């Protein structure tokens, strides 16, 4: 029985059609894969591509796409609403049929090793491919974003899993193995990103930073180790952020539902 996996890389370019087309062509021209969807966003300046195939072909197509992105995207000039730290920001592998999450991990490691060695891009493994607990969560891996990456890489606790030199042009890439997730966005009848974030922080599993007095502008409360304390949100397995979508003229809450069995869409 054929093994089939899905790959959903996110690239830090959502406005330049030529660059987007070059990246998507590098995927669709790879034998053994089918490009299912290309979803660019102007405000986020980010494009999500979805393709499927057998594991080896998908790994090959992913490398080809990451290579083109490294040549065409310059992170020193990138601006966008979505958190990001690399030209190819994140590249998850998802099992579709006849392969398990665990069996997919070596393929993520193989892709990470090749990208690091051939393209000199530092790689962090996340979700099921993560080597330690704190790296499972993509938000932790990407914290500080591109602007804080040079300093982050120099810290022992955030040494990349593959490669250890800062790539000024391409940043870093998170490569991982995960289950299917649902991207769910809600448009609000307001332009206030503060309101959108207030709602996002209340519902997301990570919650919000604990503050004295006012929940938004009050002084941050720190624990005995000097780390900010947090107030958990109301929904498990939900990641959320609020931002302003210029082309719509409204604020939006953007969510990822990472386990729809435990937190289904209707609950959110």
């Amino acid at each position: 029985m054929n093994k089939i996996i899905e790959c959903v890389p996110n690239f830090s370019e959502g406005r330049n059609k030529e660059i987007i087309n070059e990246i998507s062509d590098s995927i669709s021209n790879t034998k053994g894969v089918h490009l299912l969807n290309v979803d660019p966003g102007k405000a986020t300046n980010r494009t999500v591509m979805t393709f499927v195939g057998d594991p080896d072909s998908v790994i090959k197509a992913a490398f080809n796409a990451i290579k083109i992105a490294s040549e065409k995207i310059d992170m020193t000039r990138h601006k966008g609403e979505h958190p990001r730290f690399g030209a190819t920001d994140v590249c998850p592998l998802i099992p579709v049929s006849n392969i398990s999450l665990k069996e997919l991990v070596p393929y993520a490691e193989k892709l990470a090793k090749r990208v690091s060695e051939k393209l000199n891009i530092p790689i962090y493994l996340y979700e099921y491919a993560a080597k330690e607990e704190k790296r499972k969560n993509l938000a932790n891996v990407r914290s500080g974003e591109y602007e804080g990456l040079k300093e982050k890489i120099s810290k022992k606790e955030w040494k990349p899993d593959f490669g250890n030199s800062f790539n000024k042009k391409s940043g870093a890439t998170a490569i991982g193995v995960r289950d299917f997730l649902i991207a769910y966005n809600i448009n609000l009848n307001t332009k206030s990103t503060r309101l959108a974030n207030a709602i996002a922080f209340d519902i997301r599993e990570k919650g919000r930073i604990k503050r004295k007095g006012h929940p938004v502008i009050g002084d941050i409360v720190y624990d005995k180790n000097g780390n900010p304390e947090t107030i958990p949100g109301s929904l498990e397995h939900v990641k959320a952020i609020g931002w302003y979508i210029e082309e719509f003229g409204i604020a939006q809450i953007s969510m990822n539902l990472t386990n729809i069995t435990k937190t289904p869409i209707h609950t959110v």
Side-chain angles (χ1 to χ4, degrees):
M1 297 175 76
N2 292 336
K3 295 178 180 179
I4 299 174
I5 70 171
E6 181 182 68
C7 185
V8 191
N10 290 218
F11 303 99
S12 295
E13 177 55 69
R15 300 163 187 168
N16 188 315
K17 288 184 179 179
E18 286 185 18
I19 293 175
I20 294 168
N21 288 340
E22 282 192 60
I23 296 171
S24 63
D25 286 348
S26 74
I27 294 169
S28 57
N29 291 335
T30 304
K31 187 178 178 182
V33 303
H34 295 280
L35 180 63
L36 302 178
N37 191 53
V38 177
D39 184 20
K42 287 183 180 179
T44 56
N45 198 11
R46 183 180 184 87
T47 297
V48 180
M49 300 189 188
T50 307
F51 59 98
V52 295
D54 66 272
D56 287 318
S57 297
V58 166
I59 294 303
K60 193 172 183 181
F63 176 82
N64 292 342
I66 294 169
K67 183 175 185 293
I68 296 296
S70 72
E71 294 168 357
K72 301 295 180 180
I73 299 171
D74 184 352
M75 288 305 295
T76 65
R77 307 163 93 176
H78 184 269
K79 295 265 191 293
E81 292 292 329
H82 199 287
R84 80 288 179 267
F85 72 167
T88 302
D89 187 53
V90 58
C91 185
L93 303 176
I94 301 109
V96 176
S97 64
N98 303 314
I99 188 169
S100 67
L101 289 160
K102 188 176 180 180
E103 290 170 330
L104 201 43
V105 171
Y107 289 98
E109 293 173 345
K110 180 181 177 182
L111 175 61
K113 187 172 186 288
R114 189 177 178 202
V115 170
S116 172
E117 291 178 353
K118 300 287 186 183
L119 304 178
N120 192 34
I121 296 173
I123 304 296
Y124 290 94
L125 297 173
Y126 80 105
E127 286 268 1
Y128 287 90
K131 301 294 185 186
E132 55 181 306
E133 188 66 31
K134 72 177 181 181
R135 297 193 181 198
K136 284 186 176 181
N137 191 324
L138 178 60
N140 292 340
V141 171
R142 197 166 51 196
S143 65
E145 297 192 46
Y146 171 78
E147 288 74 14
L149 184 61
K150 187 176 182 179
E151 182 184 349
K152 185 173 185 173
I153 283 179
S154 68
K155 295 179 180 178
K156 185 180 178 182
E157 66 269 27
W158 284 110
K159 182 180 181 292
D161 292 290
F162 291 89
N164 54 19
S165 60
F166 176 62
N167 187 317
K168 186 177 180 180
K169 184 181 179 186
S170 298
T173 297
I175 293 177
V177 174
R178 64 162 172 78
D179 213 336
F180 289 103
L181 67 75
I182 302 296
Y184 184 30
N185 301 330
I186 294 180
N187 297 333
L188 302 180
N189 188 22
T190 178
K191 293 183 178 182
S192 172
T193 54
R194 177 177 284 187
L195 181 57
N197 265 317
I199 298 169
F201 294 167
D202 280 342
I203 64 172
R204 69 183 186 180
E205 183 173 20
K206 184 180 177 182
R208 63 166 70 241
I209 291 174
K210 191 174 183 180
R211 295 176 183 270
K212 295 176 184 174
H214 197 282
V216 177
I217 60 174
D219 292 337
I220 295 173
V221 177
Y222 295 93
D223 62 21
K224 60 183 179 181
N225 297 318
N227 299 314
E229 291 187 18
T230 58
I231 303 169
S234 59
L235 298 175
E236 289 186 321
H237 311 291
V238 173
K239 299 175 182 178
I241 191 171
W243 51 40
Y244 178 70
I245 304 295
E246 192 171 344
E247 61 250 56
F248 298 162
I250 46 85
Q252 182 185 83
I253 303 169
S254 176
M255 292 172 287
N256 281 343
L257 284 53
T258 60
N259 188 329
I260 57 170
T261 302
K262 294 188 176 178
T263 305
I265 293 175
H266 71 267
T267 300
V268 178

